[in-house]
Amino acid sequence: MNLCSDQWVLEFAAPERIAAVTWLARDPRMSFHAVRAAAVPVNHGRTEELLRLQPDLILAGSYTTRATVRLLRQAGIAVEELDVPSTLEEVAAQARRLGTLLGAPEAGERFAARIEALPAPAPHPLRVAVLRPGGSAAGRGTLLESLVAAAGHESLSAPGRTRLDLEMLLRERPDAIVTALDGDAPPAEATLWLQHPALRHATLRPPSVLPGSLWICAGPGNPEAVALLAALPSP
């Protein structure tokens, strides 16, 4: 019932054991396992359609679809709610939990070990501005900031500040600008900034793309996100 729980199910469970994932799981802009999701049924989070599937277990997010979760539990269906990890250590712990829950403890342990064995941070840390579509930043205490730090860099954000703007980018002059927005992305505020003449003439390095499917969720895409961030060239 949740894009992020979709990713774990598609990572650890065989297709024949998956009753459905959300329809968002097939969107490659958001879903790391969009290709795998194309081979299994999808749902739209409605109580009636989930009941018809007669699943043994439903995975949901802790902060979404509260009414649906309550109705499903009243119907006697087991529902596990997933928290939102904010560090890679919490991602590893969630991988172990979900691997065990889905009958694949060895796979969960392997993924957790992969997280814990990520290479040492980059030798030349950069000040990185990560632009979300609406202009928000990789704020303190978020998984995205944890990914940037694991790559050895510093996020252009400060306590209590979760939003960037064009003026801040021009003033702070980050070593690298990273965005999830590619040429096929829908219009967004951050996209307009990157096209602004002031930014084009500020001699800042062209932005690098970090696909949203690698970091929107805690899960299988996170190691690749760290690798791409670590590979950002020095000024």
Side-chain angles (χ1 to χ4, degrees):
M1 291 175 58
N2 173 277
L3 174 66
C4 295
S5 59
D6 290 340
Q7 307 307 304
W8 289 123
V9 170
L10 292 163
E11 176 76 11
F12 294 140
E16 61 271 16
R17 295 183 53 225
I18 302 174
V21 292
T22 71
W23 61 277
L24 293 170
R26 291 183 175 177
D27 186 339
R29 292 173 299 183
M30 295 186 288
S31 173
F32 181 73
H33 280 319
V35 173
R36 295 187 187 182
V40 299
V42 298
N43 73 79
H44 295 78
R46 294 188 290 268
T47 305
E48 295 81 0
E49 70 175 326
L50 294 169
L51 288 172
R52 282 197 299 270
L53 293 171
Q54 298 184 317
D56 300 306
L57 174 68
I58 290 179
L59 298 182
S62 295
Y63 304 105
T64 56
T65 56
R66 309 307 309 149
T68 302
V69 167
R70 183 173 64 253
L71 289 170
L72 291 168
R73 283 179 168 154
Q74 290 173 354
I77 296 179
V79 180
E80 286 285 336
E81 296 180 88
L82 305 188
D83 290 330
V84 181
S86 58
T87 67
L88 283 169
E89 291 78 12
E90 291 174 358
V91 175
Q94 193 168 84
R96 289 189 171 100
R97 177 190 171 200
L98 268 295
T100 299
L101 197 62
L102 297 171
E106 298 86 357
E109 184 60 43
R110 283 195 301 271
F111 184 88
R114 184 180 170 201
I115 289 284
E116 293 165 349
L118 285 170
H124 303 293
L126 307 177
R127 292 173 67 248
V128 179
V130 182
L131 293 183
R132 297 172 184 262
S136 59
R140 295 291 172 89
T142 65
L143 177 61
L144 184 52
E145 189 204 37
S146 181
L147 298 176
V148 172
H153 305 313
E154 176 189 357
S155 296
L156 184 61
S157 62
R161 188 171 76 196
T162 59
R163 187 170 178 79
L164 299 175
D165 55 39
L166 180 60
E167 291 78 7
M168 188 182 301
L169 290 176
L170 293 169
R171 182 175 64 249
E172 298 290 342
R173 299 186 64 82
D175 299 313
I177 298 174
V178 175
T179 175
L181 307 169
D182 57 28
D184 296 327
E189 186 174 0
T191 311
L192 298 178
W193 294 352
L194 298 177
Q195 298 169 356
H196 196 284
L199 198 58
R200 291 204 308 269
H201 291 102
T203 66
L204 295 176
R205 180 185 299 170
S208 301
V209 174
L210 183 67
S213 60
L214 304 182
W215 58 264
I216 287 175
C217 290
N222 296 166
E224 187 175 335
V226 173
L228 288 176
L229 289 165
L232 289 171
S234 298

